[in-house]
Amino acid sequence: MNILFLTSEIHPLIKTGGLADVSRSLPLALHALGHGVRILLPGYVGVQAQLTDIHCILEDFPYGLLPAPARLLEATLPDTALTLWILDCPKLFERAGGGPYQDEKGKDWPDNPARFGAFCAAGAWLAQQAGARLNWAPALVHCNDWQTALTPALMKFWACPVPSVLTIHNLAFQGNFPAHWCSSLHLPSSEFNMESLEFHGQLSFLKAGIVHANQITTVSPRYAREIQTPQMGCGMDGLLRRRASDLSGILNGIDELWNPETDVFLPFHYTARKLQGKARLKKHLQKKMGLPVLPDVLLIGMVCRLTWQKGIDLVLDTLEDWLTEEVQVVVLGSGDPETERQLAHWSSRAPERVRVVLGFNEVRSHEIIAGSDLFLMPSRFEPCGLAQMYAMTYGTLPLAHATGGLADTILPYRAQGHSVEGTGFLFENPVPHEFHETLGQAVACFHQKDVWNQLMHHAMARDFRWNKAALEYQTLYQTLLSAP
Ligand code: ADP
Ligand code: GLC
């Protein structure tokens, strides 16, 4: 089946978080199942330079759909057989500095509704026209997050017969904009109401998608349930409950790039049976970060966007208390300036214990996830979370809040007579004392080598590859296509 997959990020071209990883690895898994996939991506500055076989396949989008000049380019995603369609529209996407959504100061581009509105319109137009114009007709369109969520609505308004799926990777990002954008984007004013595009007086991209997509998925079963509650529904729980029969949770998988046996970013490799490489990577990480090289000290890693979601404040609020333990901490992240400042402060206050790398660094993320003993993910909410799955695959035990995909993927530590169960450590409520207590439990386990080894082996035995999830998406697509 032909699937048009819309995304605003893809590894290795442009990435702010897990969406980029999923946008590479899910289409790869679908391709392996024999499906034809085209991935539509905005033509951000720098993307074209990373592609070798890029060529134009469409010069003339209809007048008014996109600001001229606008073209569709085709290329292959590096190191894969996946076909990318790049929406080349310099006025919207060629911005120097910053990331895909923000300027270099971390401020959202003020014309984001125009940028992603146009992207969504191009997606809906291609859903209808790609068959005739490009000789490739999609059987369905798969959208991801708010940046693509206007597409299902436009497809409905334009009576496009192709069904659509919307995957919510994070309900907290909704793409809500002042009402005047409804007319600026030439959306029908009759649709600006509570049953369609309007959310508390604003135009909401995500709501549009939730209302109009044929099917909605989230990235873990537990998160699919959580977002239907007022506590975690970000104001959209009522709507999601109304669509409950078309809403399901499919747990993400992880890309084959994340494999301790073959990881191209690592100087040493290992397996569950031969763990020497992991010990060498710990040493390598300690050296690289300027920490004392001490094999018996618990090395704690954290790699994340520094935002409220990720619960880094639980770490900072308790650090003073648990830094008295024999531990070392390495953090890689970027985001909230105040969090960055506090982390930098700790790194200069206790340089023998805490090291911080601010910024986005793919190589360093692999080194930390592989070289640490324990990996922190105290997220307040976590739709799926990929980093904890990477960590387990690398024998690095996650310590996390029991929420969303973290609860769905980590089996909590439990002592059972002489044996132990679990693949990590979980705490129930995102409050400092529970985090601190659980950390204490992890430190105690680390000092019982046989216990820690058993947990590492349990973690590394988990299979988080995409095969299962890709089959679930395939079944969902097939059901959708056979619906009357
Ligand atoms: P989210 O998508 O909410 O950020 P995930 O755990 O799903 O959380 O995915 C995060 C991805 O981004 C992982 O691949 C992680 O390694 C990566 N990542 C996050 N911050 C950084 C950073 N500063 N440098 C490199 N990689 C990062
Ligand atoms: C979002 C979520 C994260 C999830 C990722 C990929 O960024 O915050 O939990 O793993 O999307 O689906």
Side-chain angles (χ1 to χ4, degrees):
M1 135 190 2
N2 283 350
I3 301 150
L4 179 60
F5 190 90
L6 270 59
T7 183
S8 58
E9 302 184 16
I10 192 164
H11 178 84
L13 303 178
I14 177 101
K15 170 168 170 176
T16 69
L19 171 64
D21 295 12
V22 172
S23 297
R24 175 186 191 275
S25 48
L26 172 56
L28 263 181
L30 292 168
H31 178 79
L33 287 175
H35 300 295
V37 189
R38 295 288 179 275
I39 302 166
L40 183 66
L41 180 80
Y44 306 113
V45 70
V47 160
Q48 286 189 45
Q50 299 175 65
L51 301 165
T52 47
D53 60 345
I54 195 155
H55 57 280
C56 178
I57 54 169
L58 189 88
E59 302 251 14
D60 54 338
F61 276 97
Y63 178 74
L65 195 68
L66 293 155
R71 304 179 302 165
L72 191 67
L73 310 176
E74 188 174 87
T76 311
L77 185 69
D79 302 321
T80 72
L82 288 174
T83 304
L84 272 177
W85 282 355
I86 312 276
L87 186 61
D88 177 37
C89 182
K91 280 204 180 107
L92 297 177
F93 300 118
E94 276 197 21
R95 305 275 160 97
Y101 321 119
Q102 299 177 331
D103 63 18
E104 66 280 359
K105 293 204 181 89
K107 260 190 82 200
D108 285 353
W109 297 110
D111 62 343
N112 272 348
R115 300 172 74 221
F116 293 101
F119 183 61
C120 290
W125 186 81
L126 286 167
Q128 237 172 355
Q129 300 292 332
R133 304 292 296 275
L134 300 166
N135 205 16
W136 186 90
L140 72 84
V141 175
H142 189 148
C143 300
N144 294 279
D145 274 350
W146 75 264
Q147 295 87 343
T148 64
L150 216 48
T151 298
L154 290 168
M155 288 166 67
K156 269 255 197 85
F157 304 157
W158 299 347
C160 174
V162 177
S164 60
V165 177
L166 170 68
T167 296
I168 302 173
H169 296 261
N170 195 334
L171 187 69
F173 298 108
Q174 303 182 336
N176 299 333
F177 302 105
H180 69 81
W181 280 104
C182 191
S183 53
S184 311
L185 295 177
H186 310 293
L187 298 167
S189 56
S190 57
E191 293 291 335
F192 192 70
N193 61 61
M194 261 176 64
E195 304 304 318
S196 186
L197 305 179
E198 190 235 300
F199 184 60
H200 298 292
Q202 293 194 296
L203 165 68
S204 174
F205 277 46
L206 191 66
K207 178 170 175 179
I210 295 174
V211 170
H212 293 287
N214 296 84
Q215 282 287 329
I216 305 148
T217 67
T218 66
V219 285
S220 71
R222 174 147 161 169
Y223 190 62
R225 296 193 297 276
E226 287 172 347
I227 57 175
Q228 295 179 56
T229 66
Q231 297 77 17
M232 297 187 71
C234 302
M236 294 196 177
D237 48 292
L239 172 63
L240 288 160
R241 283 196 298 278
R242 281 203 295 285
R243 295 234 48 199
S245 57
D246 304 314
L247 166 65
S248 58
I250 300 179
L251 192 68
N252 284 332
I254 66 172
D255 200 295
E256 84 265 5
L257 293 171
W258 287 91
N259 179 347
E261 238 183 305
T262 52
D263 192 320
V264 295
F265 295 122
L266 299 180
F268 313 112
H269 296 101
Y270 59 98
T271 62
R273 275 188 294 149
K274 275 184 84 179
L275 282 166
Q276 292 92 328
K278 184 162 174 69
R280 295 174 78 184
L281 286 166
K282 177 171 177 178
K283 189 171 167 186
H284 174 75
L285 180 62
Q286 287 171 322
K287 266 199 194 148
K288 210 157 175 181
M289 302 298 295
L291 288 166
V293 177
L294 299 168
D296 295 326
V297 166
L298 177 71
L299 179 51
I300 303 175
M302 191 165 183
V303 178
C304 65
R305 294 180 289 113
L306 300 175
T307 64
W308 182 84
Q309 174 190 347
K310 300 293 174 181
I312 182 113
D313 51 305
L314 300 180
V315 179
L316 287 166
D317 285 356
T318 53
L319 198 57
E320 179 112 50
D321 303 324
W322 53 265
L323 217 51
T324 50
E325 307 264 6
E326 278 291 300
V327 295
Q328 295 175 336
V329 188
V330 175
V331 182
L332 165 64
S334 64
D336 171 44
E338 174 54 24
T339 310
E340 290 192 356
R341 196 195 58 74
Q342 288 187 40
L343 282 168
H345 163 78
W346 268 106
S347 165
S348 53
R349 193 174 143 187
E352 303 267 289
R353 295 292 190 84
V354 182
R355 305 305 283 172
V356 175
V357 183
L358 297 176
F360 198 92
N361 187 327
E362 191 72 27
V363 178
R364 202 53 65 85
S365 74
H366 285 246
E367 289 170 347
I368 294 176
I369 289 174
S372 305
D373 300 300
L374 186 73
F375 189 77
L376 301 184
M377 263 181 106
S379 312
R380 288 207 160 66
F381 66 93
E382 196 60 78
C384 177
L386 299 171
Q388 84 283 6
M389 293 196 268
Y390 300 151
M392 285 184 271
T393 306
Y394 284 68
T396 304
L397 301 182
L399 186 159
H401 171 212
T403 184
L406 297 170
D408 279 347
T409 53
I410 302 169
L411 256 72
Y413 159 75
R414 261 198 354 195
Q416 290 276 57
H418 284 302
S419 67
V420 288
E421 274 183 1
T423 61
F425 304 88
L426 288 177
F427 56 95
E428 280 305 314
N429 301 293
V431 289
H433 80 269
E434 286 199 25
F435 167 74
H436 187 182
E437 247 173 62
T438 313
L439 188 71
Q441 190 182 44
V443 174
C445 282
F446 182 71
H447 293 299
Q448 303 167 56
K449 287 293 165 226
D450 58 323
V451 170
W452 196 264
N453 274 333
Q454 283 187 59
L455 294 174
M456 276 175 75
H457 280 94
H458 294 330
M460 292 182 84
R462 296 295 302 273
D463 181 359
F464 294 116
R465 282 172 304 176
W466 265 101
N467 322 26
K468 184 168 166 279
L471 287 174
E472 286 183 57
Y473 277 108
Q474 177 176 271
T475 307
L476 181 102
Y477 297 158
Q478 282 164 346
T479 315
L480 199 54
L481 291 178
S482 59

